[in-house]
């Protein structure tokens, strides 16, 4: 099918503001792509990675800069019908995918305590390794704005830490490799609207373990999603407020923080007055 299919045209037409513009803003603001990059576009078959792949393909055709894309699909052990849906959707969107078979599901199922953690770790390692084999210097993943907000909340409520999902990262184990998230500013609701508007049916999580246990055990991320739905009823801007909180951090109002292994505590400089001078103490606003 030609690359100007209905689903592709919709991105620069009906969804120009909510998807295409936000995608381009994220790429530019966080400098995700540079001249000469060769990017492994990692496609799981879900709505997010498929949309990301299509946006990157469209961006590469604008000729603003030269970069190469390799569309890779890692098959961890999908059922035949799941794999065929990925093939059909890629054809609909004009994506020249290459499928690579693995046995990651089998390995994860043998892990009794933490199969999901092992599966994610194996997937990420495989993607980095394959990207290097293909001569790529970056891998692109389909995480979106909602993933970022949920990660911030999960870290605070369940991990006792303030952190976020970064728009790009240097790999610690694969020299010269970076991970980028081109949909960083695109909301999940917009992705769902695009898929439904275009009549596209993408795969959900096709993990056999998840299918068997999700209804019984649930997940922390699903709890966070439910919490955010409740908060939005009171404050529709809550998602953006949470996101902005990771940008507007005042280190002088934190009890402690660390950069790598280097740790800092507010008492380290308290007696010198460095925690107050030149700043407004939020507590002073409530003092009489």
């Amino acid at each position: 099918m030609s690359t100007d299919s209905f689903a592709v045209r919709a991105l620069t037409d009906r969804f120009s503001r909510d998807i295409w513009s936000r995608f381009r803003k994220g790429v530019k603001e966080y400098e995700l792509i540079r001249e000469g990059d060769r990017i492994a576009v990692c496609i799981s078959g879900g709505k997010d990675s498929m949309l990301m792949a299509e946006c990157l393909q469209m961006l590469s055709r604008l000729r603003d800069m030269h970069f190469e894309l390799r569309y890779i699909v890692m098959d961890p052990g999908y059922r035949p019908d799941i794999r065929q849906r990925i093939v059909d959707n890629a054809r609909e969107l004009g994506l020249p995918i290459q499928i690579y078979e693995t046995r990651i599901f089998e390995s994860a199922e043998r892990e009794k305590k933490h199969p999901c953690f092992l599966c994610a770790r194996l997937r990420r390692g495989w993607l980095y390794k394959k990207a290097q084999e293909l001569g790529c210097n970056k891998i692109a993943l389909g995480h979106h704005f909602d993933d970022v907000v949920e990660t911030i909340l999960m870290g605070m409520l369940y991990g006792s830490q303030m952190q976020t999902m970064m728009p790009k990262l240097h790999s610690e184990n694969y020299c010269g490799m970076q991970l980028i998230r081109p949909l960083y500013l695109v909301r999940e609701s917009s992705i769902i609207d695009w898929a439904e508007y275009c009549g596209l049916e993408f795969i959900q999580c096709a993990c056999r373990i998840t299918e068997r246990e999700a209804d019984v055990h649930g997940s922390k991320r699903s709890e966070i999603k439910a919490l955010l739905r409740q908060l939005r009823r009171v404050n529709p801007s809550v998602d953006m407020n949470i996101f902005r909180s990771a940008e507007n951090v005042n280190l002088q109002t934190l009890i402690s923080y660390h950069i790598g292994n280097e740790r800092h505590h507010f008492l380290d400089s308290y007696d010198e007055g460095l925690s107050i001078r030149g700043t407004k103490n939020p507590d002073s606003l409530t003092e009489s």
Side-chain angles (χ1 to χ4, degrees), residues 2-175:
S2 64
T3 54
D4 60 347
S5 67
F6 178 77
V8 175
R9 293 195 303 272
L11 290 176
T12 54
D13 184 11
R14 185 183 181 92
F15 295 94
S16 174
R17 183 187 66 179
D18 292 336
I19 294 181
W20 181 239
S21 293
R22 289 178 181 271
F23 160 78
R24 296 198 66 182
K25 179 181 178 181
V27 169
K28 181 179 180 180
E29 183 169 329
Y30 301 115
E31 299 180 357
L32 301 185
I33 301 176
R34 293 183 175 178
E35 184 76 22
D37 279 345
R38 178 176 289 181
I39 304 170
V41 184
C42 305
I43 301 173
S44 67
K47 65 186 189 316
D48 308 326
S49 62
M50 281 289 195
L51 172 65
M52 173 193 68
E54 185 52 52
C55 286
L56 285 171
Q57 180 170 249
M58 292 169 60
L59 184 65
S60 70
R61 291 173 176 158
L62 294 181
R63 306 298 183 184
D64 290 343
M65 69 175 72
H66 174 72
F67 60 92
E68 299 180 37
L69 301 172
R70 298 290 185 270
Y71 305 90
I72 63 176
V73 176
M74 179 196 63
D75 182 347
Y78 291 139
R79 300 194 313 265
D81 60 313
I82 295 294
R83 176 164 170 154
Q84 188 58 48
R85 184 178 298 180
I86 295 174
V87 172
D88 293 342
N89 284 332
R91 184 181 301 113
E92 171 70 22
L93 295 173
L95 298 171
I97 63 172
Q98 181 66 47
I99 300 178
Y100 300 92
E101 297 182 4
T102 73
R103 303 175 69 176
I104 288 179
F105 278 174
E106 289 186 22
S107 298
E109 286 182 323
R110 289 195 292 269
E111 170 61 38
K112 301 300 182 183
K113 291 186 177 181
H114 305 289
C116 294
F117 174 80
L118 176 61
C119 183
R121 183 177 179 180
L122 292 175
R123 283 171 178 250
R124 187 68 59 85
W126 186 94
L127 290 171
Y128 272 121
K129 183 177 180 181
K130 177 56 66 175
Q132 278 195 333
E133 291 177 1
L134 296 174
C136 298
N137 64 310
K138 294 178 179 178
I139 66 171
L141 301 183
H143 297 116
H144 47 64
F145 179 84
D146 295 62
D147 291 322
V148 180
V149 172
E150 291 162 13
T151 297
I152 296 172
L153 272 185
M154 287 180 67
M156 295 174 64
L157 301 182
Y158 298 123
S160 302
Q161 57 188 342
M162 176 61 191
Q163 65 176 15
T164 189
M165 178 181 286
M166 299 297 287
K168 63 180 180 180
L169 293 168
H170 287 286
S171 172
E172 296 181 358
N173 300 315
Y174 295 85
C175 183

